[in-house]
Structure formats: C-alpha cells, structure tokens
Amino acid sequence: MILTNAKIVLSNEVINGSLHINRGCIEAIDSGGVSLPGAVDCEGGYLMPGMVELHTDNMEKHFTPRPGVAWPGMQAFKVHDAQMISAGITTVFDAISVGDVVEGSERLNNLSRMADALHASRDRGLTRADHLLHLRCEVSHQDTLHNFRTLLESHPPQLVSIMDHSPGQRQFANIDKYRQYYQGKYKMSDSEMEAFIVRQSEASNLYSTDYRRAIADICLGLGIPLASHDDATLEHVTESLEHGMVIAEFPTTEVSAREAHRHGMAVLMGAPNVVRGGSHSGNVAAHSLASEGLLDVLSSDYYPASLLDAAFKLAADERNGYDLAAATRLVSQRPALAAGLEDRGEIAIGKRADLVWYEGLEDHAHIKHVWKDGGRVF
C-alpha cells in the first residue's frame, strides 16, 4: 500500500511526501507525491503515527452504562474498542481498578468481567486496536493486594500503577475538593461525608504503605513497568523512585513533576486537562508543565477524543515550544517507549504501520481514516 500527498509527521519534522507499506510495516518514506495506480491520496492532510494510550478508564462506562445495568462483556468491550480506534488510538492500555474507595462498587463487580472480555476479544481477533492490560491498584482498599495477586495469575498486566485516593493528600490535598467530588458522586449527606472521610483516612493508614511496597516488589520481579499516581511532593517522588517506577501519572504540583522529570520518569498528564485549560481537581495545569518543558506523555484518561485534540492544541500554542512533531510525540513515541514498546509510536522505516490521517481544522483535528498494521480499521 502507498499513501501519498500527505503532510507526514515524523519524530522531529513534518514533510510533504509518501509512505510505502509492506506486510504491516513502513517500508519507505519519500518526499513528494507519487501517481502509481492504487495509491491512496491523502489530499494534503496530515499523516501521524497511531496514538498510544497508557491510562484510560473508558472501558468501565460501557460495562455499566447506567447504575445497576451490567452490559454483556464482549459487546461492551467491542463498543469501547470502536470508540478508541475512531479517536486514532491504535494501542490501548486499558486501565481497570483493583480496589476502590467504596465497598461493593460497580467498579469492583466489573473487575474480572472487564479483564475476561479484553482477553477474549483479543484472542478471537475481534479488536481493531491493540489492547493491553493496565492494573490501577488502589492501595488504600483492604482487598487490593489479594485481588492483584489473583488477577496476576489469570490476566497478567503489561502496566501497573499504584494510587491512593484518600483525603488530604495527593490528588485531594485540598479537602474541600475531596468533599465536592465524592459528595457529588455518591450523593452523601454532610454527616455521611464526614464519616466517609474518617473511614478512608483510616484505610489508607492501615494498608497503603505495605500494599504499595508489596505490589511494587512483585512488578519489579516480573519486569512489569510501574507508574506512580498523583505524586504531590518531593517525598512522594523519592518514594516512587525507590519502588522503581518509570512513569509519573498526573503529578499534582510543578514541584513533583520537575523532580520526576529530572530523574528520568516520564511525566504523564491528562489530555482533558489541556483541552479544558486546567485540572478539575484544582491541581497543576498540563499546559503549565508544557511551558516548562516538563510534559512527556499525554493520556486521554476518561475522554478518548481529547488525546489528538490536546496535541493539536499544544502545537498551536506558541508559548510552550511544542511544534507539531514534538506535540505528536507526546501521544505516540513517548508513551510507547515509556511502556517498553519499541516497534510503534513513530513513522519510521521498520516500524508498525499504525497510522492516522487527519485534517487540521481551526480548532481541532478531524480524523479521516485509521490504519492498524497496514490495514484500514476506520
């Protein structure tokens, strides 16, 4: 297959040219167009590498589309897969939560259903994107370590992150933001909310330190990449480094992001943070880290279409120093390398032909087609 008349986004520049694809890989990159029969005319649009998503919980909403409604696993997963590929995301680390902040939640009930559906869909060749498993370990929950060990046997993950969403620290250092978020989410009265805060704080004190260490030790022994989550202080980053973590997910302050970046951790921030112009929790804004050169990876988190729009928006903002090639690396090459995937994430000879053809509009990028391993999937 030949794709021609395209603005090709390479790792360090954008060229006008053509791509030659053979057996699912990029065989040649040429400047200028070609007029061979059967060549796909990209009409002067942009051709970028398929995006790599390290942390999305998008799958959960399809398994429980309404409270109390459990949708059949295979069908739910296929809708999630279609949504990711239509957003230009060709490699997905599906993040499912091991442990939660409440007992008996739908998230916990869906844990094995989601892992089963991911593996069954992948094994049967029913996915358009390449789906990998990311276990998000809520270490302040009493069952997390047991559930993690159980899943490790049945569904080994390709990425693990360790988090603690208890009040007064990390994402919710501002206790008023914690009240606003969880009281709104679970419709608790003021007295119920205060009791909830006490329970969550006690659970964190009981389990977090031991579970964090145990899970990190298991992952290091198995060679599974580790990510920290919501580091807020220098002490948090030091702890993450001691546990061998290579990705810093959603640091909440510039201080922690700078320290993680200085030590070579890949600093990951949410693409919705960029699109919205700030954090919904009142923490550091992604564009602020970008302007300081501290942003390494973007994640769509809860909104798949935000990934390309965020890169497009950063590239258009002259204040942060990210041209289109650099902004594209945040959603392709850099997340791939952070997760140890060296066969994808950039348009280069020998790499997988995971590609996105999009048209640059004034305020966003409009996707025309997506290819996975050289085959058109959207």
Side-chain angles (χ1 to χ4, degrees):
M1 183 178 66
I2 297 175
L3 304 175
T4 190
N5 189 22
K7 298 182 183 74
I8 303 175
V9 185
L10 302 177
S11 61
N12 292 305
E13 61 178 333
V14 180
I15 66 169
N16 295 311
S18 306
L19 281 185
H20 297 248
I21 312 300
N22 187 26
R23 297 182 180 179
C25 292
I26 299 169
E27 187 175 63
I29 305 170
D30 296 325
S31 298
V34 300
S35 56
L36 294 173
V40 177
D41 184 357
C42 292
E43 304 171 1
Y46 291 94
L47 201 58
M48 67 174 287
M51 289 181 284
V52 178
E53 170 58 71
L54 295 184
H55 181 123
T56 177
D57 54 14
N58 183 68
M59 181 166 57
E60 290 183 357
K61 68 185 70 172
H62 298 293
F63 278 73
T64 309
R66 286 188 176 182
V69 176
W71 207 256
M74 189 75 74
Q75 293 91 320
F77 186 84
K78 288 172 66 178
V79 173
H80 160 63
D81 172 60
Q83 190 172 10
M84 300 306 289
I85 209 72
S86 68
I89 299 169
T90 53
T91 298
V92 189
F93 283 79
D94 288 308
I96 63 176
S97 186
V98 184
D100 201 357
V101 297
V102 294
E103 296 297 330
S105 70
E106 292 168 337
R107 172 173 283 176
L108 290 175
N109 294 334
N110 285 334
L111 182 58
S112 59
R113 291 206 311 127
M114 290 190 290
D116 289 343
L118 187 160
H119 282 83
S121 300
R122 189 172 64 190
D123 293 345
R124 292 173 61 181
L126 299 177
T127 63
R128 295 171 174 87
D130 189 7
H131 289 267
L132 304 169
L133 182 60
H134 173 173
L135 296 182
R136 306 168 62 233
C137 298
E138 184 64 57
V139 291
S140 60
H141 189 276
Q142 64 178 348
D143 296 330
T144 292
L145 184 57
H146 169 75
N147 290 341
F148 173 75
R149 285 174 169 154
T150 300
L151 276 173
L152 197 63
E153 294 293 325
S154 58
H155 300 298
Q158 287 72 51
L159 179 64
V160 170
S161 58
I162 297 178
M163 57 197 68
D164 180 353
H165 286 102
S166 57
Q169 50 94 50
R170 296 184 182 269
Q171 180 179 352
F172 294 107
N174 184 330
I175 198 69
D176 290 334
K177 287 288 184 180
Y178 186 86
R179 287 191 179 92
Q180 179 184 6
Y181 181 81
Y182 284 107
Q183 195 163 13
K185 185 174 182 177
Y186 296 114
K187 312 301 181 187
M188 291 182 278
S189 67
D190 289 345
S191 61
E192 288 172 334
M193 186 65 216
E194 293 310 308
F196 180 78
I197 289 174
V198 171
R199 288 198 305 273
Q200 296 309 117
S201 297
E202 290 176 348
S204 179
N205 290 333
L206 281 172
Y207 308 116
S208 287
T209 299
D210 290 343
Y211 284 8
R212 184 183 302 271
R213 182 182 301 111
I215 292 170
D217 287 347
I218 291 170
C219 291
L220 288 175
L222 295 174
I224 301 170
L226 272 167
S228 66
H229 193 83
D230 295 338
D231 285 347
T233 66
L234 294 177
E235 290 75 17
H236 288 158
V237 177
T238 298
E239 179 184 55
S240 297
L241 292 167
E242 289 174 349
H243 289 312
M245 298 181 184
V246 296
I247 300 167
E249 289 186 346
F250 313 113
T252 64
T253 64
E254 182 179 324
V255 168
S256 60
R258 187 176 298 279
E259 183 72 359
H261 190 269
R262 185 172 74 86
H263 286 280
M265 296 179 73
V267 175
L268 179 153
M269 293 292 284
N273 187 312
V274 175
V275 174
R276 296 178 65 255
S279 164
H280 71 272
S281 299
N283 297 315
V284 68
H287 66 79
S288 297
L289 297 186
S291 67
E292 296 293 324
L294 301 176
L295 180 62
D296 298 309
V297 176
L298 283 171
S299 163
S300 69
D301 196 7
Y302 57 88
Y303 202 89
S306 68
L307 199 56
L308 180 54
D309 281 345
F312 193 74
K313 185 173 182 177
L314 281 177
D317 189 345
E318 297 179 353
R319 296 172 298 175
N320 59 51
Y322 288 80
D323 60 15
L324 184 59
T328 299
R329 289 199 301 271
L330 299 176
V331 298
S332 54
Q333 184 183 37
R334 285 190 165 183
L337 293 177
L341 302 176
E342 298 183 356
D343 61 347
R344 69 196 77 185
E346 64 174 320
I347 295 179
I349 294 173
K351 300 291 185 179
R352 287 191 182 195
D354 296 351
L355 302 163
V356 179
W357 166 18
Y358 72 88
E359 177 185 3
L361 304 180
E362 289 184 3
D363 59 346
H364 72 287
H366 176 68
I367 293 176
K368 306 275 283 187
H369 293 306
V370 180
W371 290 266
K372 182 75 180 74
D373 295 318
R376 182 177 154 189
V377 288
F378 177 78

